[in-house]
Short mmCIF file of all heavy atoms in Angstrom, two decimals:
data_model
loop_
_atom_site.label_atom_id
_atom_site.label_comp_id
_atom_site.label_asym_id
_atom_site.label_seq_id
_atom_site.Cartn_x
_atom_site.Cartn_y
_atom_site.Cartn_z
N ALA L 181 10.13 -35.02 4.88
CA ALA L 181 10.81 -34.95 6.21
C ALA L 181 9.85 -34.47 7.28
O ALA L 181 9.93 -33.37 7.82
CB ALA L 181 11.98 -33.87 6.12
N VAL L 182 8.86 -35.37 7.53
CA VAL L 182 7.87 -35.12 8.54
C VAL L 182 8.39 -34.95 9.92
O VAL L 182 8.01 -34.01 10.64
CB VAL L 182 6.74 -36.23 8.50
CG1 VAL L 182 5.63 -35.94 9.51
CG2 VAL L 182 6.17 -36.35 7.07
N GLU L 183 9.31 -35.74 10.31
CA GLU L 183 9.89 -35.61 11.65
C GLU L 183 10.60 -34.27 11.73
O GLU L 183 10.49 -33.61 12.76
CB GLU L 183 10.81 -36.78 11.94
CG GLU L 183 11.52 -36.70 13.29
CD GLU L 183 10.59 -36.86 14.46
OE1 GLU L 183 9.48 -37.57 14.29
OE2 GLU L 183 10.79 -36.25 15.46
N THR L 184 11.31 -33.93 10.68
CA THR L 184 12.05 -32.62 10.66
C THR L 184 11.09 -31.48 10.86
O THR L 184 11.39 -30.46 11.50
CB THR L 184 12.87 -32.53 9.39
OG1 THR L 184 13.88 -33.53 9.39
CG2 THR L 184 13.58 -31.11 9.37
N ALA L 185 9.86 -31.55 10.23
CA ALA L 185 8.91 -30.47 10.30
C ALA L 185 8.47 -30.23 11.73
O ALA L 185 8.37 -29.12 12.27
CB ALA L 185 7.73 -30.77 9.40
N HIS L 186 8.34 -31.33 12.39
CA HIS L 186 7.93 -31.23 13.87
C HIS L 186 9.11 -30.58 14.67
O HIS L 186 8.82 -29.78 15.51
CB HIS L 186 7.52 -32.67 14.41
CG HIS L 186 6.25 -33.03 14.07
ND1 HIS L 186 5.12 -32.93 14.87
CD2 HIS L 186 5.73 -33.61 12.95
CE1 HIS L 186 4.07 -33.41 14.30
NE2 HIS L 186 4.39 -33.85 13.13
N ARG L 187 10.33 -31.03 14.35
CA ARG L 187 11.43 -30.46 15.06
C ARG L 187 11.65 -28.91 14.81
O ARG L 187 11.98 -28.17 15.70
CB ARG L 187 12.72 -31.24 14.77
CG ARG L 187 12.75 -32.67 15.26
CD ARG L 187 13.98 -33.34 14.97
NE ARG L 187 13.95 -34.75 15.34
CZ ARG L 187 14.25 -35.21 16.61
NH1 ARG L 187 14.46 -34.32 17.54
NH2 ARG L 187 14.12 -36.50 16.83
N VAL L 188 11.37 -28.56 13.52
CA VAL L 188 11.49 -27.13 13.19
C VAL L 188 10.42 -26.32 13.82
O VAL L 188 10.59 -25.20 14.28
CB VAL L 188 11.50 -26.97 11.67
CG1 VAL L 188 11.27 -25.50 11.24
CG2 VAL L 188 12.73 -27.52 11.07
N ARG L 189 9.23 -26.88 13.94
CA ARG L 189 8.15 -26.16 14.64
C ARG L 189 8.53 -25.94 16.13
O ARG L 189 8.23 -24.88 16.69
CB ARG L 189 6.83 -26.99 14.56
CG ARG L 189 5.64 -26.13 15.11
CD ARG L 189 4.46 -27.05 15.60
NE ARG L 189 4.79 -27.79 16.77
CZ ARG L 189 4.78 -27.33 18.02
NH1 ARG L 189 4.50 -26.15 18.26
NH2 ARG L 189 5.11 -28.06 19.01
N ILE L 190 9.19 -26.91 16.74
CA ILE L 190 9.67 -26.79 18.11
C ILE L 190 10.67 -25.64 18.23
O ILE L 190 10.61 -24.85 19.10
CB ILE L 190 10.22 -28.13 18.68
CG1 ILE L 190 9.07 -29.08 18.80
CG2 ILE L 190 10.92 -27.85 19.99
CD1 ILE L 190 9.53 -30.48 19.14
N ILE L 191 11.54 -25.63 17.23
CA ILE L 191 12.61 -24.50 17.22
C ILE L 191 11.83 -23.20 17.12
O ILE L 191 12.15 -22.19 17.84
CB ILE L 191 13.52 -24.67 16.02
CG1 ILE L 191 14.40 -25.95 16.25
CG2 ILE L 191 14.41 -23.40 15.88
CD1 ILE L 191 15.26 -26.30 15.02
N MET L 192 10.88 -23.01 16.17
CA MET L 192 10.15 -21.86 16.04
C MET L 192 9.45 -21.45 17.42
O MET L 192 9.55 -20.24 17.84
CB MET L 192 8.95 -22.01 15.05
CG MET L 192 9.38 -22.14 13.63
SD MET L 192 7.85 -22.60 12.62
CE MET L 192 8.45 -22.50 10.95
#
Side-chain angles (χ1 to χ4, degrees):
V182 177
E183 179 66 31
T184 298
H186 281 264
R187 293 182 183 278
V188 170
R189 189 204 67 81
I190 291 172
I191 292 172
M192 291 173 171

